[in-house]
Amino acid sequence: MSNWTSPIRSSRVSSFDLPPEVFNWLKKACDEAKQKGSRANKHLLGHMKEEYHLVASTQQINQTKKWKEIQFVKMDKNFIDFLLQCASSKSLSQYLSDVTFLSEDRPLYLHSLWVNYMKKHEFNPPHKHSGVLSFIIFVKIPYDLKKEEKKFVMDREYGYNFCTHTSKLAFLNTAADGKIFLDCINVDKSFEGKMLMFPSAQMHEVFPFYTSNGYRITVSGNIRLKV
C-alpha cells in the first residue's frame, strides 16, 4: 500500500496506489461483472446505462430469492485486505476517531462494490454514499485531458475556483462564509490504478467527457462498521 500525491485540497480525501497484482485482478473482475450483467443502476444515481454489481450487500441478497441466484464476481482476498488497510491508515484515522456513537471499537468491512462503465455525455450528479468510508478506483480513462479542457473553456468564476469542469471529478465543500465550492480533480490517464477514499457523506460528482468513444471505467464501493 502506498500513497500518491493528488492535488486535492480536502484533508478528508486520501489517495492510494493499487498494488499491480490487485489492479490486474480488478480489471478482470470488471470484465466479468459486465459479462454477468447484474445491473446496479436502480441502486445508484448515476446517469449511466452500464453499472454492474461486483458484489451485493447482505441486505440486498436477503431482500429477494432472485438476488441469491445471481452469480457475483468472486472476491480476491488481497483486494479486500488492501481496501481495509487503506481504510485503517493514518490519513483516515482522524475521521474514524470522530465516529463517537460506538461504545467500543468495531471492525470495518466491505459492504457493497460496483463498476461504472461511463460513456461519452454520461455523468454522475452530486451525491453521497452510505456507510462510513467510500472509495473510487480509476480503472480506465479513455480521453486526453487537454482535449477535454479545450472542449468547453470557462473563463468565469464559479464559487471559489476557476475550473474547466469537463470530464473531471469534483468534491463539493462549503467555505466559512457558507458558499459552496468545487474541489476539481484533473482525472487523466495517469489516474489508472489509483484510488481515492473519503467519508461516505462527502458530496461529489463526475462531469461528462466528450472527446472519446471509449469507456471511462471506475469501481466504487462502501465500507461499513460491523456492529
Side-chain angles (χ1 to χ4, degrees), residues 40-82:
N41 300 69
K42 69 178 182 180
H43 301 285
L44 304 170
L45 290 176
H47 287 235
M48 288 173 267
K49 292 184 177 180
E50 294 188 64
E51 298 174 298
Y52 303 99
H53 288 290
L54 285 161
V55 297
S57 69
T58 303
Q59 179 182 1
Q60 291 171 338
I61 292 174
N62 289 337
Q63 280 178 349
T64 65
K65 183 179 179 181
K66 180 181 177 181
W67 277 101
K68 297 178 182 179
E69 297 171 351
I70 295 174
Q71 296 297 313
F72 296 103
V73 174
K74 184 178 179 181
M75 285 294 99
D76 179 71
K77 184 179 183 299
N78 291 331
F79 174 68
I80 300 296
D81 289 345
F82 168 76

Side-chain angles (χ1 to χ4, degrees), residues 101-206:
F101 57 83
L102 296 174
S103 58
E104 59 184 71
D105 290 340
R106 303 300 300 169
L108 296 165
Y109 73 100
L110 177 64
H111 174 262
S112 51
L113 186 71
W114 63 93
V115 56
N116 301 308
Y117 280 82
M118 178 185 283
K119 294 180 180 178
K120 179 192 294 186
H121 304 152
E122 296 182 329
F123 65 97
N124 227 330
H127 66 286
K128 60 182 180 179
H129 290 205
S130 64
V132 179
L133 294 170
S134 297
F135 55 87
I136 301 170
I137 300 173
F138 303 94
V139 178
K140 185 176 182 181
I141 304 300
Y143 51 78
D144 180 277
L145 183 60
K146 291 182 179 179
K147 291 181 181 179
E148 286 294 318
E149 289 180 332
K150 291 178 181 178
K151 189 68 178 179
F152 293 105
V153 178
M154 296 179 65
D155 58 1
R156 61 186 183 274
E157 186 174 5
Y158 180 78
Y160 272 73
N161 58 320
F162 291 90
C163 178
T164 299
H165 303 323
T166 308
S167 80
K168 296 179 181 177
L169 164 69
F171 291 96
L172 287 73
N173 292 298
T174 306
D177 60 4
K179 291 183 179 179
I180 295 175
F181 67 90
L182 299 182
D183 192 357
C184 279
I185 312 301
N186 297 330
V187 177
D188 60 15
K189 294 180 184 296
S190 70
F191 274 60
E192 293 178 359
K194 303 180 186 299
M195 176 177 74
L196 300 179
M197 187 172 283
F198 46 89
S200 298
Q202 170 69 60
M203 295 289 292
H204 56 287
E205 62 182 312
V206 181

